[in-house]
Amino acid sequence: MKILVTGGAGFIGSAVIRHIIQNTQDEVLNVDKLTYAGNLESLSSIAQSPRYQFSQTDICDRTALDQLFSDFQPDVVMHLAAESHVDRSITGSAAFIETNILGTYQLLEAARQYWNELVGEKKQAFRFHHISTDEVYGDLEGTEDLFLETTPYAPSSPYSASKASSDHLVRAWHRTYGLPVLITNCSNNYGPFHFPEKLIPLIILNALNGRALPVYGNGQQIRDWLYVEDHARALYQVVTQAQVGETYNIGGHNEQKNIDVVKAVCQLLEELAPNKPEGVAYYQDLITYVTDRPGHDLRYAIDASKIQKDLGWVPQESFETGLRKTVEWYLNHQEWVAHVQSGEYKNWLNQQYHTESVQ
């Protein structure tokens, strides 16, 4: 297959591309604007593959999208490009409206025009897979409740509202125009190559540098944690096996309170990085409670039984095994971390290709 992946330089997108190039014979076109969180260094292991190509393109640029569809002739679109940080959406929502809603609209229209011109088996096989989040459902009240694929949407933040909007657009393009779509909603991802603004890498790197480990409110917020490589496998199974029009929730079966996640990272660092910064007796001593963020959802938890029943997918990593792999990865990839923290990663495209942009 030829797979067009949007947002392929991001955390989940890069995991999807690595999975495809390393485990299949498919071709990939990575379409990414390269905002602050897009990092091509995360794809260095597969960047020289003849089955991989990259285009620095904004999904809001319809003319550029049309050209990419025409040139690459994809069999599948996997749409991961999104602004995804809740805190950033609270202080600067415009970028989330632009990319997550208007960008999805432009991509849908480009895909629809392309699909309408296909014939025969190629038209029958085409899929538009939209990758979304469990945050569109809002939060859960009861301790036993789980998000189902049929749970009503009740987004709380500008980020989750923009993702809910994009989900609605995708369903509308299926219902109105017949575009063959798939939608997946995932829980919190974690793992290698995660941009350091997110909780787990932030805690790892702050701890190693003797900085405060910020925990919102009382730290009792509950999330379901999904190892990113498990997620990548799930997404590929959905796009290659699922029936058109289906929605799947993808979760890690790993509910954890935020404070327990922070403490688990600290315990692993005690074992794996015992030489602490000066003045730090225990990593947990660095935990600092900070003012909760506005509209903070208390609990997310996914019922992932449908994807297991229909497609046979289950996560391979437990939270304990996945977290250990994650901490070990950050300890063993200090150069990647240093490039992110210094901004040097933004120069990787020039270093790799000796050009500002690759089409």
Side-chain angles (χ1 to χ4, degrees):
M1 286 196 308
K2 300 177 79 171
I3 304 175
L4 188 157
V5 177
T6 70
F11 172 49
I12 300 173
S14 64
V16 169
I17 292 175
R18 291 192 304 271
H19 174 78
I20 293 170
I21 296 298
Q22 291 166 356
N23 296 286
T24 78
Q25 292 304 307
D26 299 336
E27 295 180 46
V28 174
L29 170 60
N30 175 11
V31 178
D32 199 296
K33 183 181 177 181
L34 293 184
T35 60
Y36 75 97
N39 187 351
L40 289 174
E41 282 189 318
S42 302
L43 292 160
S44 59
S45 63
I46 56 87
Q48 299 305 318
S49 169
R51 294 183 288 111
Y52 170 77
Q53 54 185 300
F54 171 71
S55 174
Q56 186 174 358
T57 298
D58 185 344
I59 59 169
C60 293
D61 184 343
R62 176 63 192 280
T63 302
L65 288 178
D66 287 341
Q67 190 65 53
L68 290 175
F69 273 92
S70 176
D71 292 346
F72 185 64
Q73 295 283 306
D75 300 298
V76 165
V77 174
M78 298 181 77
H79 175 35
L80 295 103
E83 294 286 343
S84 66
H85 194 254
V86 175
D87 291 354
R88 285 178 182 263
S89 81
I90 293 170
T91 57
S93 57
F96 291 75
I97 306 304
E98 181 79 17
T99 298
N100 299 356
I101 301 177
L102 298 179
T104 298
Y105 161 73
Q106 295 291 4
L107 188 66
L108 282 165
E109 280 293 86
R112 182 168 75 96
Q113 177 178 305
Y114 168 76
W115 173 69
N116 278 333
E117 295 170 356
L118 296 176
V119 294
E121 287 186 9
K122 195 166 176 71
K123 184 164 189 171
Q124 282 291 111
F126 183 79
R127 298 290 184 270
F128 185 103
H129 181 187
H130 177 61
I131 288 82
S132 190
T133 172
D134 60 356
E135 296 189 42
V136 297
Y137 301 124
D139 59 1
L140 293 161
E141 292 184 11
T143 56
E144 302 301 318
D145 295 341
L146 297 170
F147 293 136
L148 304 173
E149 285 80 1
T150 54
T151 298
Y153 280 25
S156 304
S157 69
Y159 160 60
S160 56
S162 69
K163 288 298 288 186
S165 300
S166 65
D167 290 12
H168 290 320
L169 288 175
V170 172
R171 288 195 176 93
W173 259 242
H174 174 58
R175 179 80 180 262
T176 302
Y177 303 113
L179 187 70
V181 307
L182 299 157
I183 296 177
T184 51
N185 299 82
C186 68
S187 59
N188 277 33
N189 278 226
Y190 70 102
F193 299 104
H194 208 176
F195 203 77
E197 67 183 1
K198 298 299 179 82
L199 178 64
I200 289 176
L202 179 71
I203 296 303
I204 294 169
L205 301 177
N206 276 17
L208 292 173
N209 288 288
R211 299 196 194 108
L213 310 182
V215 176
Y216 278 128
N218 59 10
Q220 298 301 303
Q221 305 89 353
I222 295 171
R223 300 292 182 263
D224 177 14
W225 291 90
L226 172 64
Y227 192 64
V228 69
E229 292 175 12
D230 278 334
H231 189 198
R233 282 192 307 104
L235 295 178
Y236 189 79
Q237 279 187 247
V238 169
V239 83
T240 55
Q241 298 175 25
Q243 296 295 312
V244 167
E246 284 288 1
T247 296
Y248 287 100
N249 285 344
I250 306 173
H253 306 297
N254 286 307
E255 284 187 62
Q256 302 284 338
K257 294 177 181 176
N258 283 352
I259 186 62
D260 293 338
V261 171
V262 174
K263 289 179 178 178
V265 170
C266 289
Q267 288 172 353
L268 280 168
L269 288 173
E270 292 288 349
E271 173 192 342
L272 300 172
N275 296 324
K276 301 179 190 65
E278 188 175 346
V280 177
Y282 298 98
Y283 287 113
Q284 282 197 29
D285 296 343
L286 296 169
I287 292 174
T288 305
Y289 293 93
V290 298
T291 303
D292 210 351
R293 71 182 175 208
H296 201 171
D297 291 332
L298 181 59
R299 179 171 171 261
Y300 303 149
I302 273 184
D303 182 339
S305 59
K306 180 181 173 184
I307 190 173
Q308 179 176 349
K309 178 169 66 74
D310 287 4
L311 306 181
W313 176 87
V314 290
Q316 293 178 354
E317 301 293 342
S318 67
F319 186 67
E320 291 70 27
T321 61
L323 191 63
R324 177 175 288 273
K325 285 184 177 182
T326 302
V327 172
E328 288 175 340
W329 186 87
Y330 279 93
L331 292 173
N332 294 329
H333 291 81
Q334 290 296 308
E335 185 179 10
W336 183 91
V337 171
H339 285 179
V340 170
Q341 293 177 329
S342 69
E344 181 66 21
Y345 74 100
K346 294 177 183 175
N347 299 323
W348 194 84
L349 185 60
N350 294 341
Q351 297 161 6
Q352 184 74 9
Y353 297 109
H354 310 293
T355 178
E356 285 295 331
S357 178
V358 176
Q359 298 292 344

